[in-house]
Amino acid sequence: FFVWELLHLGDWPPSSTLDAATMIVHHVVSIALWPLSCYLKIAHFYLLHFELTELSSPFLQLRWFTRRFASPHVDALASAAFALSFFVVRTALVA
């Protein structure tokens, strides 16, 4: 997911240069540290936690598509899936 998103950063709506640079650094560091952490066998719990919080991101992308290309009913389902996944993986797992 990080690689795909990094390759498509240019397709995102225009924002400041600093935002784009920050997102590039975020994705490159994430792509590099994940295998390094597994190889060195350090920080597995934290790595797993941060990877799990990204599980809601595909539903966020799905919402973008459904708002532009699908019926309001399908968009409502995609929005509900995003809201549920966001709550579960970014809020409930923290507790």
Side-chain angles (χ1 to χ4, degrees):
F1 180 74
F2 280 119
V3 174
W4 182 88
E5 202 170 56
L6 178 63
L7 293 174
H8 290 89
L9 280 176
D11 299 335
W12 289 17
S15 63
S16 72
T17 306
L18 180 60
D19 285 344
T22 302
M23 289 304 290
I24 291 170
V25 169
H26 164 75
H27 284 79
V28 169
V29 168
S30 296
I31 291 166
L33 288 182
W34 187 82
L36 182 64
S37 175
C38 288
Y39 177 74
L40 296 176
K41 298 180 175 133
I42 56 172
H44 287 103
F45 173 78
Y46 300 106
L47 177 67
L48 180 60
H49 171 74
F50 287 122
E51 288 299 318
L52 283 175
T53 62
E54 292 294 330
L55 287 175
S56 63
S57 296
F59 293 108
L60 179 62
Q61 301 298 325
L62 180 64
R63 278 186 72 228
W64 184 90
F65 284 106
T66 58
R67 288 186 177 236
R68 283 152 184 81
F69 305 115
S71 70
H73 178 70
V74 173
D75 178 49
L77 290 173
S79 295
F82 170 68
L84 179 64
S85 67
F86 186 89
F87 175 75
V88 169
V89 301
R90 297 196 184 211
T91 342
L93 290 180
V94 174

Coordinates of all heavy atoms in Angstrom, one line a residue:
F1 N 0.8 -1.2 0.0 CA 0.0 0.0 0.0 C 0.9 1.3 0.0 O 0.6 2.2 -0.7 CB -1.0 0.0 1.2 CG -1.8 1.2 1.3 CD1 -2.9 1.3 0.4 CD2 -1.6 2.2 2.2 CE1 -3.7 2.4 0.4 CE2 -2.4 3.3 2.3 CZ -3.5 3.4 1.4
F2 N 1.9 1.3 0.8 CA 2.8 2.4 0.9 C 3.5 2.7 -0.5 O 3.6 3.9 -0.9 CB 3.9 2.3 1.9 CG 3.4 2.6 3.3 CD1 3.4 1.6 4.3 CD2 2.9 3.8 3.7 CE1 3.0 1.8 5.6 CE2 2.5 4.1 5.0 CZ 2.5 3.1 5.9
V3 N 3.9 1.7 -1.1 CA 4.5 1.8 -2.4 C 3.5 2.4 -3.5 O 3.8 3.3 -4.2 CB 5.1 0.5 -2.9 CG1 5.7 0.6 -4.3 CG2 6.2 0.0 -2.0
W4 N 2.3 1.8 -3.5 CA 1.3 2.3 -4.4 C 1.0 3.8 -4.2 O 0.9 4.6 -5.1 CB 0.0 1.5 -4.3 CG -1.0 1.9 -5.3 CD1 -1.2 1.4 -6.6 CD2 -2.0 2.8 -5.1 NE1 -2.2 2.1 -7.1 CE2 -2.8 2.9 -6.2 CE3 -2.4 3.6 -4.0 CZ2 -3.9 3.8 -6.4 CZ3 -3.5 4.5 -4.1 CH2 -4.2 4.5 -5.3
E5 N 0.8 4.1 -2.9 CA 0.5 5.5 -2.5 C 1.6 6.4 -2.9 O 1.4 7.5 -3.3 CB 0.1 5.6 -1.1 CG -0.7 6.8 -0.7 CD -1.3 6.7 0.7 OE1 -0.5 6.5 1.6 OE2 -2.5 6.8 0.8
L6 N 2.8 6.0 -2.6 CA 4.0 6.8 -3.0 C 4.1 7.1 -4.5 O 4.3 8.2 -4.9 CB 5.3 6.2 -2.5 CG 6.6 6.9 -2.8 CD1 6.6 8.2 -2.1 CD2 7.8 6.0 -2.4
L7 N 3.8 6.1 -5.3 CA 3.8 6.3 -6.7 C 2.7 7.2 -7.2 O 2.8 7.7 -8.3 CB 3.8 4.9 -7.4 CG 5.0 4.0 -7.2 CD1 4.7 2.6 -7.8 CD2 6.2 4.6 -7.8
H8 N 1.6 7.3 -6.5 CA 0.5 8.1 -6.9 C 0.3 9.4 -6.2 O -0.7 10.0 -6.3 CB -0.8 7.3 -6.8 CG -0.8 6.2 -7.8 ND1 -0.3 4.9 -7.6 CD2 -1.3 6.1 -9.1 CE1 -0.5 4.2 -8.7 NE2 -1.0 4.9 -9.6
L9 N 1.4 9.8 -5.5 CA 1.3 11.1 -4.8 C 1.0 12.3 -5.7 O 0.4 13.2 -5.4 CB 2.5 11.4 -3.9 CG 2.6 10.7 -2.6 CD1 4.0 10.9 -2.0 CD2 1.5 11.0 -1.7
G10 N 1.5 12.2 -6.9 CA 1.3 13.2 -7.9 C -0.1 13.4 -8.4 O -0.5 14.4 -8.9
D11 N -0.9 12.3 -8.1 CA -2.4 12.4 -8.5 C -3.2 13.0 -7.4 O -4.4 13.3 -7.6 CB -2.9 11.0 -8.7 CG -2.2 10.3 -9.9 OD1 -1.6 11.0 -10.7 OD2 -2.2 9.0 -9.9
W12 N -2.6 13.3 -6.3 CA -3.4 13.9 -5.2 C -3.7 15.4 -5.5 O -3.0 16.0 -6.3 CB -2.6 13.8 -3.9 CG -2.5 12.5 -3.3 CD1 -2.7 11.3 -3.9 CD2 -2.1 12.2 -2.0 NE1 -2.5 10.3 -3.0 CE2 -2.1 10.8 -1.8 CE3 -1.7 12.9 -0.9 CZ2 -1.8 10.1 -0.7 CZ3 -1.4 12.3 0.3 CH2 -1.4 10.9 0.4
P13 N -4.7 15.9 -4.9 CA -5.0 17.4 -5.1 C -3.8 18.2 -4.7 O -3.1 17.9 -3.8 CB -6.2 17.6 -4.2 CG -6.8 16.3 -3.9 CD -5.7 15.3 -4.0
P14 N -3.6 19.3 -5.4 CA -2.4 20.2 -5.1 C -2.5 20.7 -3.7 O -3.5 21.0 -3.1 CB -2.6 21.4 -6.1 CG -3.6 20.9 -7.1 CD -4.4 19.8 -6.5
S15 N -1.3 20.6 -3.1 CA -1.2 21.2 -1.7 C 0.2 21.9 -1.7 O 0.9 22.0 -2.7 CB -1.2 20.0 -0.7 OG -0.2 19.1 -0.9
S16 N 0.6 22.2 -0.5 CA 1.9 22.9 -0.4 C 3.0 22.0 -0.7 O 2.9 20.8 -0.6 CB 2.0 23.5 1.0 OG 2.3 22.5 2.0
T17 N 4.2 22.6 -1.1 CA 5.3 21.8 -1.3 C 5.8 21.0 -0.1 O 6.3 19.9 -0.2 CB 6.5 22.7 -1.9 OG1 6.0 23.4 -3.0 CG2 7.7 21.9 -2.3
L18 N 5.7 21.7 1.1 CA 6.1 21.0 2.3 C 5.2 19.8 2.6 O 5.7 18.8 3.0 CB 5.9 22.0 3.5 CG 6.3 21.5 4.9 CD1 7.8 21.0 4.9 CD2 6.1 22.5 5.9
D19 N 3.9 19.9 2.3 CA 3.1 18.7 2.5 C 3.5 17.5 1.6 O 3.6 16.4 2.1 CB 1.6 19.0 2.3 CG 1.0 19.9 3.3 OD1 1.5 19.9 4.4 OD2 -0.1 20.4 3.1
A20 N 3.8 17.8 0.4 CA 4.2 16.8 -0.5 C 5.5 16.2 -0.1 O 5.7 15.0 -0.1 CB 4.3 17.4 -2.0
A21 N 6.5 17.0 0.3 CA 7.8 16.5 0.8 C 7.6 15.7 2.0 O 8.3 14.6 2.2 CB 8.7 17.7 1.0
T22 N 6.8 16.1 2.9 CA 6.5 15.4 4.2 C 5.9 14.0 3.9 O 6.4 13.0 4.4 CB 5.6 16.1 5.1 OG1 6.2 17.4 5.4 CG2 5.3 15.4 6.4
M23 N 5.0 13.9 2.9 CA 4.4 12.7 2.6 C 5.4 11.7 1.9 O 5.4 10.5 2.1 CB 3.2 12.9 1.7 CG 2.0 13.5 2.4 SD 1.5 12.5 3.8 CE 0.8 11.1 3.0
I24 N 6.3 12.3 1.1 CA 7.3 11.5 0.4 C 8.2 10.9 1.5 O 8.5 9.7 1.5 CB 8.1 12.3 -0.6 CG1 7.1 12.6 -1.8 CG2 9.3 11.5 -1.1 CD1 7.7 13.5 -2.8
V25 N 8.7 11.7 2.4 CA 9.6 11.2 3.5 C 8.9 10.2 4.3 O 9.4 9.1 4.6 CB 10.1 12.4 4.3 CG1 10.8 11.9 5.6 CG2 11.0 13.3 3.5
H26 N 7.6 10.4 4.7 CA 6.8 9.5 5.5 C 6.8 8.1 4.8 O 7.0 7.1 5.4 CB 5.4 10.0 5.7 CG 4.4 9.0 6.1 ND1 4.4 8.5 7.4 CD2 3.4 8.4 5.5 CE1 3.4 7.7 7.5 NE2 2.8 7.6 6.4
H27 N 6.5 8.1 3.5 CA 6.3 6.8 2.8 C 7.7 6.1 2.6 O 7.8 4.9 2.8 CB 5.6 7.0 1.4 CG 4.2 7.2 1.6 ND1 3.6 8.4 2.0 CD2 3.1 6.4 1.4 CE1 2.3 8.3 2.0 NE2 2.0 7.1 1.7
V28 N 8.7 6.9 2.2 CA 10.0 6.2 2.0 C 10.5 5.7 3.3 O 11.0 4.5 3.4 CB 11.0 7.3 1.4 CG1 12.4 6.8 1.5 CG2 10.6 7.6 0.0
V29 N 10.4 6.4 4.4 CA 10.9 5.9 5.7 C 10.1 4.7 6.2 O 10.7 3.7 6.6 CB 10.8 7.0 6.8 CG1 11.0 6.5 8.2 CG2 11.8 8.1 6.5
S30 N 8.8 4.7 6.0 CA 7.9 3.5 6.3 C 8.3 2.3 5.5 O 8.4 1.2 6.0 CB 6.5 3.9 6.1 OG 6.1 4.9 7.0
I31 N 8.5 2.5 4.2 CA 8.9 1.4 3.3 C 10.2 0.8 3.7 O 10.5 -0.4 3.7 CB 8.9 1.8 1.9 CG1 7.5 2.1 1.4 CG2 9.5 0.8 1.0 CD1 7.4 2.9 0.1
A32 N 11.2 1.7 4.1 CA 12.5 1.2 4.5 C 12.6 0.6 5.9 O 13.2 -0.5 6.1 CB 13.5 2.4 4.5
L33 N 11.8 1.1 6.9 CA 11.9 0.6 8.2 C 11.2 -0.7 8.5 O 11.5 -1.4 9.4 CB 11.5 1.7 9.2 CG 12.4 2.9 9.4 CD1 11.9 3.9 10.4 CD2 13.8 2.4 9.7
W34 N 10.1 -0.9 7.8 CA 9.3 -2.1 8.0 C 10.2 -3.4 7.8 O 10.3 -4.2 8.7 CB 8.1 -2.1 7.1 CG 7.2 -3.2 7.4 CD1 6.2 -3.2 8.4 CD2 7.1 -4.5 6.7 NE1 5.6 -4.4 8.4 CE2 6.1 -5.2 7.4 CE3 7.8 -5.0 5.7 CZ2 5.7 -6.5 7.0 CZ3 7.4 -6.3 5.3 CH2 6.4 -7.0 5.9
P35 N 10.8 -3.6 6.6 CA 11.7 -4.8 6.5 C 12.9 -4.8 7.4 O 13.3 -5.8 7.9 CB 12.1 -4.8 5.0 CG 11.7 -3.5 4.5 CD 10.8 -2.8 5.4
L36 N 13.5 -3.6 7.7 CA 14.6 -3.5 8.5 C 14.2 -3.9 10.0 O 15.0 -4.7 10.6 CB 15.2 -2.1 8.6 CG 16.4 -1.8 9.4 CD1 17.6 -2.6 8.8 CD2 16.8 -0.4 9.4
S37 N 13.1 -3.5 10.4 CA 12.7 -3.9 11.8 C 12.4 -5.4 11.9 O 12.8 -6.0 12.9 CB 11.4 -3.2 12.1 OG 10.9 -3.6 13.3
C38 N 11.9 -6.0 10.8 CA 11.7 -7.4 10.8 C 13.0 -8.2 10.8 O 13.2 -9.2 11.5 CB 10.8 -7.8 9.6 SG 9.1 -7.4 9.8
Y39 N 13.9 -7.7 10.0 CA 15.2 -8.3 9.9 C 16.0 -8.3 11.2 O 16.6 -9.2 11.6 CB 16.0 -7.7 8.8 CG 17.4 -8.2 8.6 CD1 17.6 -9.5 8.1 CD2 18.5 -7.5 9.1 CE1 18.9 -10.0 7.9 CE2 19.8 -8.0 9.0 CZ 20.0 -9.2 8.4 OH 21.3 -9.8 8.3
L40 N 16.0 -7.1 11.8 CA 16.7 -6.9 13.1 C 15.9 -7.4 14.3 O 16.5 -7.4 15.4 CB 17.1 -5.4 13.3 CG 18.0 -4.9 12.2 CD1 18.2 -3.4 12.5 CD2 19.3 -5.6 12.3
K41 N 14.7 -7.8 14.1 CA 13.8 -8.3 15.2 C 13.7 -7.3 16.3 O 13.8 -7.7 17.5 CB 14.3 -9.7 15.7 CG 14.3 -10.7 14.6 CD 14.8 -12.0 15.1 CE 14.6 -13.0 13.9 NZ 15.6 -13.8 13.6
I42 N 13.4 -6.1 16.0 CA 13.2 -5.0 17.0 C 11.9 -4.3 16.7 O 11.5 -4.2 15.6 CB 14.3 -4.0 17.1 CG1 14.6 -3.4 15.7 CG2 15.6 -4.7 17.6 CD1 15.6 -2.2 15.7
A43 N 11.2 -3.9 17.8 CA 10.0 -3.0 17.8 C 8.9 -3.7 17.0 O 8.1 -3.0 16.4 CB 10.4 -1.7 17.2
H44 N 8.7 -5.0 17.1 CA 7.6 -5.6 16.3 C 6.3 -5.2 16.8 O 5.4 -5.0 16.0 CB 7.7 -7.2 16.5 CG 8.9 -7.7 15.7 ND1 10.0 -8.1 16.3 CD2 9.0 -8.0 14.4 CE1 10.8 -8.6 15.4 NE2 10.2 -8.5 14.2
F45 N 6.1 -5.0 18.1 CA 4.8 -4.6 18.6 C 4.4 -3.2 18.0 O 3.3 -3.0 17.6 CB 4.8 -4.5 20.1 CG 3.5 -3.9 20.7 CD1 2.3 -4.6 20.7 CD2 3.5 -2.6 21.1 CE1 1.2 -4.1 21.2 CE2 2.3 -2.0 21.6 CZ 1.2 -2.8 21.7
Y46 N 5.3 -2.3 18.0 CA 5.0 -0.9 17.6 C 4.8 -0.9 16.0 O 3.9 -0.2 15.5 CB 6.2 0.0 17.9 CG 6.3 0.1 19.4 CD1 7.4 -0.5 20.1 CD2 5.4 0.8 20.2 CE1 7.5 -0.4 21.4 CE2 5.5 0.9 21.6 CZ 6.6 0.3 22.2 OH 6.7 0.3 23.5
L47 N 5.6 -1.7 15.4 CA 5.5 -1.8 13.9 C 4.1 -2.4 13.6 O 3.4 -1.9 12.7 CB 6.6 -2.7 13.3 CG 6.5 -3.0 11.8 CD1 6.8 -1.7 11.1 CD2 7.5 -4.0 11.5
L48 N 3.7 -3.4 14.2 CA 2.4 -4.0 14.0 C 1.3 -3.1 14.3 O 0.3 -2.9 13.5 CB 2.2 -5.3 14.8 CG 0.9 -6.1 14.6 CD1 0.7 -6.5 13.2 CD2 0.9 -7.3 15.5
H49 N 1.4 -2.3 15.4 CA 0.4 -1.4 15.7 C 0.2 -0.3 14.6 O -0.9 0.0 14.2 CB 0.7 -0.7 17.1 CG -0.2 0.4 17.4 ND1 -1.5 0.3 17.8 CD2 0.0 1.8 17.3 CE1 -2.1 1.5 17.9 NE2 -1.2 2.4 17.7
F50 N 1.3 0.3 14.2 CA 1.3 1.3 13.2 C 0.8 0.8 11.8 O 0.1 1.5 11.1 CB 2.6 2.0 13.0 CG 2.9 2.9 14.2 CD1 4.1 2.7 15.0 CD2 2.1 3.9 14.6 CE1 4.3 3.5 16.0 CE2 2.3 4.8 15.7 CZ 3.5 4.5 16.4
E51 N 1.1 -0.4 11.5 CA 0.6 -1.0 10.3 C -0.9 -1.3 10.4 O -1.6 -1.1 9.4 CB 1.4 -2.3 10.0 CG 2.8 -2.1 9.5 CD 2.9 -1.3 8.2 OE1 2.1 -1.5 7.3 OE2 3.8 -0.5 8.2
L52 N -1.3 -1.7 11.5 CA -2.8 -2.0 11.7 C -3.6 -0.7 11.6 O -4.7 -0.7 11.1 CB -3.0 -2.6 13.1 CG -2.7 -4.1 13.2 CD1 -2.9 -4.6 14.6 CD2 -3.6 -4.9 12.2
T53 N -3.0 0.4 12.0 CA -3.8 1.7 11.9 C -4.0 2.1 10.4 O -4.9 2.9 10.1 CB -3.1 2.8 12.6 OG1 -1.8 3.1 12.1 CG2 -3.0 2.6 14.1
E54 N -3.2 1.6 9.5 CA -3.3 1.9 8.1 C -4.4 1.0 7.5 O -4.7 1.2 6.3 CB -2.0 1.6 7.4 CG -0.9 2.6 7.7 CD -1.2 4.1 7.3 OE1 -2.0 4.3 6.3 OE2 -0.8 5.0 8.0
L55 N -5.0 0.1 8.2 CA -6.1 -0.7 7.6 C -7.3 0.1 7.2 O -8.0 -0.4 6.3 CB -6.5 -1.8 8.6 CG -5.5 -3.0 8.7 CD1 -6.0 -3.9 9.8 CD2 -5.3 -3.7 7.4
S56 N -7.5 1.2 7.7 CA -8.6 2.0 7.3 C -8.4 2.8 6.1 O -9.3 3.3 5.4 CB -9.0 3.0 8.5 OG -8.0 3.9 8.8
S57 N -7.1 3.0 5.7 CA -6.8 3.8 4.5 C -7.4 3.3 3.2 O -7.8 4.2 2.4 CB -5.2 3.9 4.4 OG -4.7 4.6 5.5
P58 N -7.4 2.1 2.9 CA -8.1 1.6 1.6 C -9.5 2.0 1.6 O -10.1 2.4 0.5 CB -7.9 0.1 1.6 CG -6.7 -0.1 2.4 CD -6.7 0.9 3.5
F59 N -10.2 2.0 2.8 CA -11.6 2.4 2.8 C -11.8 4.0 2.5 O -12.7 4.4 2.0 CB -12.3 2.0 4.1 CG -12.4 0.6 4.3 CD1 -11.6 -0.1 5.2 CD2 -13.3 -0.2 3.5 CE1 -11.7 -1.5 5.3 CE2 -13.4 -1.5 3.6 CZ -12.7 -2.2 4.6
L60 N -10.8 4.7 3.0 CA -10.7 6.1 2.7 C -10.6 6.4 1.2 O -11.3 7.2 0.6 CB -9.6 6.8 3.4 CG -9.4 8.3 3.2 CD1 -10.7 9.1 3.7 CD2 -8.2 8.8 3.9
Q61 N -9.7 5.6 0.5 CA -9.6 5.7 -0.9 C -10.9 5.3 -1.6 O -11.3 5.9 -2.6 CB -8.4 4.9 -1.4 CG -7.1 5.3 -0.8 CD -6.7 6.7 -1.1 OE1 -6.9 7.2 -2.2 NE2 -6.0 7.3 -0.1
L62 N -11.5 4.2 -1.1 CA -12.7 3.7 -1.7 C -13.8 4.8 -1.6 O -14.6 5.0 -2.6 CB -13.2 2.5 -1.0 CG -14.5 1.9 -1.5 CD1 -14.3 1.4 -2.9 CD2 -14.9 0.7 -0.6
R63 N -13.9 5.6 -0.5 CA -14.8 6.7 -0.4 C -14.6 7.7 -1.5 O -15.6 8.3 -2.1 CB -14.7 7.4 0.9 CG -15.4 6.7 2.0 CD -15.4 7.5 3.3 NE -16.2 8.6 3.2 CZ -15.8 9.9 3.6 NH1 -14.6 10.1 4.0 NH2 -16.7 10.9 3.5
W64 N -13.4 8.0 -1.8 CA -13.1 9.0 -2.9 C -13.7 8.5 -4.2 O -14.3 9.3 -4.9 CB -11.5 9.1 -3.0 CG -11.2 10.2 -4.0 CD1 -11.0 11.5 -3.7 CD2 -10.9 10.0 -5.4 NE1 -10.7 12.2 -4.9 CE2 -10.6 11.3 -5.9 CE3 -11.0 8.9 -6.3 CZ2 -10.3 11.5 -7.3 CZ3 -10.7 9.1 -7.6 CH2 -10.4 10.4 -8.1
F65 N -13.5 7.2 -4.5 CA -14.1 6.7 -5.8 C -15.6 6.7 -5.8 O -16.2 7.0 -6.8 CB -13.5 5.3 -6.1 CG -12.1 5.3 -6.6 CD1 -11.1 4.9 -5.8 CD2 -11.8 5.8 -7.9 CE1 -9.8 5.0 -6.2 CE2 -10.5 5.8 -8.3 CZ -9.5 5.4 -7.5
T66 N -16.2 6.2 -4.7 CA -17.6 6.1 -4.6 C -18.3 7.5 -4.7 O -19.4 7.6 -5.2 CB -18.1 5.4 -3.4 OG1 -17.7 6.0 -2.2 CG2 -17.6 3.9 -3.4
R67 N -17.7 8.5 -4.1 CA -18.3 9.9 -4.1 C -18.3 10.4 -5.6 O -19.1 11.2 -5.9 CB -17.5 10.8 -3.2 CG -17.8 10.5 -1.8 CD -17.2 11.5 -0.9 NE -17.6 11.1 0.5 CZ -18.3 11.9 1.3 NH1 -18.5 13.1 0.9 NH2 -18.6 11.5 2.5
R68 N -17.4 10.0 -6.4 CA -17.3 10.5 -7.8 C -18.0 9.6 -8.8 O -18.5 10.1 -9.8 CB -15.9 10.7 -8.2 CG -15.3 12.0 -7.5 CD -13.8 11.9 -7.3 NE -13.3 13.1 -6.6 CZ -13.3 13.3 -5.3 NH1 -13.9 12.4 -4.6 NH2 -12.8 14.3 -4.8
F69 N -18.0 8.3 -8.6 CA -18.4 7.4 -9.6 C -19.6 6.4 -9.2 O -20.0 5.7 -10.1 CB -17.2 6.5 -10.1 CG -16.1 7.4 -10.5 CD1 -14.9 7.3 -9.8 CD2 -16.2 8.2 -11.6 CE1 -13.8 8.1 -10.2 CE2 -15.1 9.0 -12.1 CZ -13.9 8.9 -11.4
A70 N -20.1 6.5 -8.0 CA -21.1 5.5 -7.6 C -22.3 6.2 -7.1 O -22.4 7.4 -7.0 CB -20.5 4.6 -6.5
S71 N -23.3 5.4 -6.9 CA -24.6 5.9 -6.4 C -24.5 6.4 -4.9 O -23.6 5.9 -4.2 CB -25.7 4.9 -6.5 OG -25.5 3.8 -5.6
P72 N -25.4 7.2 -4.5 CA -25.3 7.6 -3.1 C -25.4 6.5 -2.1 O -24.8 6.5 -1.0 CB -26.5 8.6 -2.9 CG -26.8 9.1 -4.3 CD -26.4 8.0 -5.2
H73 N -26.2 5.4 -2.5 CA -26.3 4.3 -1.6 C -24.9 3.6 -1.4 O -24.5 3.2 -0.3 CB -27.3 3.3 -2.2 CG -27.5 2.1 -1.3 ND1 -28.1 2.0 -0.1 CD2 -27.1 0.8 -1.6 CE1 -28.0 0.8 0.4 NE2 -27.5 0.0 -0.5
V74 N -24.2 3.4 -2.5 CA -22.9 2.7 -2.5 C -21.9 3.6 -1.7 O -21.1 3.1 -0.9 CB -22.4 2.4 -3.9 CG1 -21.0 1.9 -3.8 CG2 -23.3 1.4 -4.6
D75 N -22.0 4.9 -1.9 CA -21.2 5.9 -1.2 C -21.4 5.8 0.3 O -20.5 5.8 1.1 CB -21.4 7.3 -1.7 CG -20.5 8.3 -0.9 OD1 -19.3 8.0 -0.8 OD2 -21.1 9.3 -0.5
A76 N -22.7 5.7 0.7 CA -23.0 5.6 2.1 C -22.4 4.3 2.7 O -21.9 4.3 3.9 CB -24.6 5.6 2.3
L77 N -22.5 3.2 2.0 CA -21.9 2.0 2.5 C -20.4 2.1 2.6 O -19.8 1.6 3.6 CB -22.2 0.8 1.5 CG -23.7 0.3 1.5 CD1 -23.9 -0.7 0.4 CD2 -24.1 -0.2 2.9
A78 N -19.7 2.7 1.6 CA -18.3 2.9 1.7 C -17.9 3.8 2.9 O -16.9 3.6 3.6 CB -17.8 3.5 0.4
S79 N -18.7 4.9 3.1 CA -18.4 5.8 4.2 C -18.6 5.1 5.5 O -17.8 5.3 6.5 CB -19.4 7.0 4.1 OG -19.1 7.8 3.0
A80 N -19.6 4.2 5.6 CA -19.8 3.5 6.9 C -18.7 2.5 7.1 O -18.2 2.3 8.2 CB -21.2 2.7 6.8
A81 N -18.2 1.8 6.0 CA -17.0 0.9 6.2 C -15.8 1.7 6.6 O -15.1 1.2 7.5 CB -16.8 0.2 4.9
F82 N -15.6 2.9 6.1 CA -14.4 3.7 6.5 C -14.6 4.1 8.0 O -13.6 4.0 8.8 CB -14.3 4.9 5.6 CG -13.3 5.9 6.2 CD1 -11.9 5.5 6.2 CD2 -13.7 7.1 6.7 CE1 -11.0 6.4 6.8 CE2 -12.7 8.0 7.2 CZ -11.4 7.6 7.3
A83 N -15.8 4.6 8.4 CA -16.0 5.1 9.7 C -15.8 3.9 10.7 O -15.1 4.1 11.8 CB -17.4 5.7 9.9
L84 N -16.3 2.7 10.4 CA -16.2 1.6 11.3 C -14.7 1.1 11.4 O -14.2 0.9 12.5 CB -17.1 0.4 10.8 CG -17.0 -0.8 11.6 CD1 -17.5 -0.6 13.0 CD2 -17.8 -1.9 11.0
S85 N -14.1 1.0 10.2 CA -12.7 0.6 10.3 C -11.8 1.6 11.0 O -10.9 1.3 11.7 CB -12.2 0.3 8.9 OG -12.1 1.5 8.1
F86 N -12.0 2.9 10.8 CA -11.3 3.9 11.4 C -11.4 3.8 12.9 O -10.4 3.9 13.7 CB -11.7 5.3 10.9 CG -10.8 6.4 11.4 CD1 -9.7 6.8 10.7 CD2 -11.1 7.1 12.6 CE1 -8.9 7.9 11.2 CE2 -10.3 8.1 13.1 CZ -9.2 8.5 12.3
F87 N -12.7 3.7 13.4 CA -12.9 3.6 14.8 C -12.2 2.4 15.4 O -11.6 2.5 16.5 CB -14.4 3.6 15.1 CG -14.7 3.4 16.6 CD1 -14.5 4.4 17.5 CD2 -15.1 2.2 17.1 CE1 -14.7 4.2 18.8 CE2 -15.3 2.0 18.4 CZ -15.1 3.0 19.3
V88 N -12.4 1.2 14.7 CA -11.8 0.0 15.3 C -10.3 0.0 15.3 O -9.7 -0.3 16.4 CB -12.3 -1.2 14.5 CG1 -11.6 -2.5 14.9 CG2 -13.8 -1.4 14.7
V89 N -9.7 0.4 14.2 CA -8.2 0.2 14.2 C -7.4 1.5 14.7 O -6.3 1.3 15.1 CB -7.7 -0.1 12.8 CG1 -8.3 -1.4 12.3 CG2 -7.9 1.0 11.8
R90 N -8.1 2.6 14.7 CA -7.3 3.8 15.2 C -7.8 4.3 16.6 O -7.1 5.1 17.2 CB -7.5 4.9 14.2 CG -6.9 4.6 12.9 CD -6.6 5.7 12.0 NE -6.1 5.3 10.7 CZ -5.3 6.0 10.0 NH1 -4.9 7.2 10.4 NH2 -4.9 5.6 8.8
T91 N -8.9 3.8 17.1 CA -9.3 4.2 18.4 C -9.5 3.1 19.4 O -8.9 3.1 20.4 CB -10.7 4.9 18.3 OG1 -11.0 5.4 17.0 CG2 -10.7 6.2 19.2
A92 N -10.2 2.1 19.0 CA -10.5 1.0 19.9 C -9.3 0.1 20.2 O -9.1 -0.3 21.3 CB -11.6 0.0 19.3
L93 N -8.4 0.0 19.2 CA -7.1 -0.8 19.5 C -6.2 -0.1 20.4 O -5.3 -0.7 21.0 CB -6.4 -1.1 18.1 CG -7.1 -2.1 17.2 CD1 -6.3 -2.3 16.0 CD2 -7.3 -3.4 18.0
V94 N -6.3 1.2 20.5 CA -5.4 2.0 21.4 C -5.7 1.7 22.9 O -4.9 1.6 23.7 CB -5.5 3.5 21.1 CG1 -4.7 4.3 22.1 CG2 -5.1 3.8 19.7
A95 N -7.0 1.5 23.1 CA -7.5 1.3 24.5 C -7.1 0.0 25.1 O -6.4 -0.8 25.0 CB -9.0 1.4 24.6

